[in-house]
């Protein structure tokens, strides 16, 4: 089976989201919604029996395969065995009628699945196609090893030819990397002047940016497994190396450790793949692929083999030369020691299924990560390399990297918002100084609706939340902000846009401005004064195609959130 070409639109690793595929009906180029909180009703068996297995032409099958990859596999997995969304293998799906499946796909469910037709993202024809596709056996995507990765690797600028110091006078610490999701591009913006420094080609529906330990480089990972290395020393930021190490991916991280065990800053990078389920270690300066580690193993609780344990969050430990890697389907946290790749050591910590997103507490010692389908937050001690605890918060916690601050009554706390309800939950996160509150919920408040992200900064009195997933009219266009010194007063909410939806926040380096995105085909960036909550600037431009996530160099290097 061919690796290149498995997913149409991702053929050469330079997928152009705006260009419809062969045979793709209009609409395939539109803004993709949040795929995650997904097809729950599809998992429920219906008493209505189904007919014979549907047949599709090769072209229709390819089209359905791509739609599945683009919209569904994030939640249900390439093999459709379920994770954030339920199992939707053909055995389960043929227990339902095509009409029922179409209704669910088109209308969505109360359990959180977007109505793909209702929101205008799938046509009636595409919905019918997908219902049929789900009743057919899931095609198994090909594997990908070092040979294929080496073939896809491109070193555009060898290290020796890169500038020794910045070729501009900008403040690198305050640069922002912005995702232009459906354009398959990333924008670098000067946080001081608000000028666009440049736009670079990244992967299809690029998912996150990470800054290197020195802050000189940004790494990006596309949903198609394309990884790009962007040099911020250049006058116009440019991709100096790129590669393709998976067919489906969401995470990339760098080696950040410097201490008695060595200096690994900017030495290595790692990509976490959804498919094939594996970790890929690369040279941090060239992206040359070095080592592939499969994540296929057994679930932490039932000890059953899982063929598709996907890599969710990866963070670089501050305690040791290790990556902290969340393996979604097995519910394990791996601490992968990158100091000796030939004799790879790893600690496997039993946590919870299905691990998704998270970040550090303020001390940088504890990983706080959501097991969102079990409604739990999990705490792992990266210094002692041990599971600490897990506790229920609300319906499908989703902290992004999270938010840490000092509560006037409870001391250092951390928080999460939720995909399944408009709720922010605050819990103690200082076991040394405030053991009585550690890992216990100390406050909660309503937000503007089910959301994706929250953010704060040590210098700010505010916590910002979105309601991107809310189905209530206009709610996903609002921002709700809480005060640290008066949290119980509830949120101050306002409508920030009359088009698209608000998603994700990031502070500037000084911690006095907050940047957010209007996620729309023709999107915007809104910059707020954090003290007054007044809008300072709104950037609207042709190049702002579906802006989603954004990262400030300094805050990303230092895990400030
Ligand atoms: Fe994300 C982080 C997976 C849908 C925007 N997203 C992450 C991480 C994972 C993940 C594993 C953590 C990476 C890390 O820290 O190493 N996201 C998934 C999915 O599987 C899911 C649910 C479905 C899918 O098919 O992709 C999904 N995510 C979305 C979106 O729809 C969003 C809103 C827009 C998009 O680009 O598709 C989106 N995800 C983000 C952002 C972050 C993220 C902005 C980083 C948050 C941060 O502050 O670091």
């Amino acid at each position: 089976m061919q690796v290149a070409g498995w997913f149409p639109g991702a053929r050469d690793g330079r997928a152009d989201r705006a260009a419809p595929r062969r045979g793709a009906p209009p609409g395939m180029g539109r803004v993709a919604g949040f795929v995650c909180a997904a097809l729950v009703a599809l998992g429920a068996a219906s008493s209505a029996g189904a007919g014979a297995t549907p047949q599709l032409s090769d072209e229709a099958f390819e089209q359905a395969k791509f739609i599945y990859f683009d919209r569904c596999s994030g939640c249900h997995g390439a093999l459709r065995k379920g994770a954030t969304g339920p199992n939707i293998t053909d055995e389960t799906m043929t227990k339902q009628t095509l009409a029922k499946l179409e209704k669910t796909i088109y209308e969505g469910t109360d359990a959180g699945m977007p109505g793909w037709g209702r929101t205008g993202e799938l046509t009636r024809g595409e919905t019918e196609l997908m219902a049929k596709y789900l009743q057919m056996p899931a095609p198994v995507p090909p594997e990908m090893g070092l040979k294929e990765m080496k073939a896809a690797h491109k070193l555009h600028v060898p290290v020796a030819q890169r500038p020794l110091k910045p070729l501009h006078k900008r403040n690198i610490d305050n640069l922002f990397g912005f995702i232009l999701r459906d354009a398959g591009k990333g924008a670098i913006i000067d946080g001081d002047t608000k000028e666009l420094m440049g736009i670079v080609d990244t992967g299809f529906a690029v998912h996150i940016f990470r800054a290197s330990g020195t802050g000189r480089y940004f790494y990006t990972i596309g949903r198609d497994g394309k990884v790009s290395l962007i040099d911020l020393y250049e006058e116009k930021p440019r991709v100096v190396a790129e590669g393709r190490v998976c067919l489906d991916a969401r995470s990339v991280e760098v080696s950040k450790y410097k201490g008695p065990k060595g200096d690994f800053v900017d030495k290595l990078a790692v990509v976490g793949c959804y498919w094939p389920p594996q970790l890929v270690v690369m040279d941090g300066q060239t992206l040359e692929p070095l080592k592939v580690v499969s994540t296929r193993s057994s679930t932490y609780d039932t000890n059953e083999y899982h063929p598709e344990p996907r890599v969710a969050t990866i963070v670089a430990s501050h305690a040791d030369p290790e990556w902290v890697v969340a393996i979604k389907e097995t519910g394990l946290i791996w601490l992968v020691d990158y100091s000796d790749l030939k004799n790879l050591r790893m600690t496997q910590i039993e946590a919870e299924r299905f691990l998704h997103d998270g970040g550090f507490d303020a001390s940088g010692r504890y990983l706080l990560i959501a097991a969102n389908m079990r409604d739990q937050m999990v705490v792992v001690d990266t210094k002692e390399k041990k599971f600490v605890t897990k506790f229920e918060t609300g319906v499908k916690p989703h902290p992004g990297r999270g938010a840490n601050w000092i509560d006037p009554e409870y001391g250092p706390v951390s928080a999460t918002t939720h995909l399944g309800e408009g709720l922010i939950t605050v819990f103690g996160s200082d076991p040394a100084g405030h053991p009585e509150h550690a890992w216990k919920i100390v406050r909660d408040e309503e937000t503007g609706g089910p959301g994706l992200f929250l953010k704060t900064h040590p210098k700010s009195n505010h916590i910002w939340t979105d309601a991107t997933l809310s189905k209530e009219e206009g709610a996903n266009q609002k921002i709700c902000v809480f005060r640290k010194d008066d949290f119980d007063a509830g949120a101050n909410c306002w409508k920030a846009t009359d088009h698209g939806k608000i998603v994700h926040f990031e502070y500037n380096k000084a911690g006095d401005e907050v940047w957010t995105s209007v996620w729309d085909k023709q999107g915007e960036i809104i910059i707020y004064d954090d003290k007054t909550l007044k809008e300072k600037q709104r950037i609207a431009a042709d190049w702002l195609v579906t802006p989603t996530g954004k990262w400030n160099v300094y805050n990303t290097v230092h895990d400030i959130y």
Side-chain angles (χ1 to χ4, degrees), residues 34 36 74 181 207 210 223 250-251 274 314 401 504:
F34 186 75
C36 173
R181 187 190 187 282
H207 213 85
R210 279 282 206 268
R223 180 179 287 239
R250 300 291 182 283
S251 49
Y274 268 18
I314 308 179
R401 281 169 295 162
H504 198 245

Side-chain angles (χ1 to χ4, degrees), residues 66 88 91 97 122 135 142 181 211 252 364 387 389 391 432 561:
F66 177 76
I88 52 167
E91 290 95 338
T97 60
L122 292 187
Q135 289 195 338
R181 187 190 187 282
V252 61
F387 169 81
T389 188
F391 53 94
Y561 32 78

Side-chain angles (χ1 to χ4, degrees), residues 32-37 69-71 73-75 84 179 181 205-208 210 223 250-252 274 310-315 328 356-358 398 400-401 452-453 455 468 503-505 519 548-551:
F34 186 75
V35 193
C36 173
F69 160 69
D70 193 21
R71 316 275 181 188
S73 70
C75 289
T84 307
I179 288 177
R181 187 190 187 282
V206 60
H207 213 85
I208 68 164
R210 279 282 206 268
R223 180 179 287 239
R250 300 291 182 283
S251 49
V252 61
Y274 268 18
R310 295 176 293 169
V311 180
T313 294
I314 308 179
V315 290
K328 195 186 277 282
H356 190 70
D357 56 347
H398 191 275
R401 281 169 295 162
L452 291 172
F453 299 108
K455 190 60 55 86
T468 320
V503 70
H504 198 245
F505 307 96
W519 181 6
T548 53
K550 62 215 65 80
W551 288 264

Side-chain angles (χ1 to χ4, degrees), residues 271-288:
V271 164
C273 303
Y274 268 18
W275 189 274
Q278 61 197 19
L279 277 181
V280 182
V281 183
M282 289 157 296
D283 183 293
Q285 301 279 325
T286 64
L287 296 186
E288 186 199 343

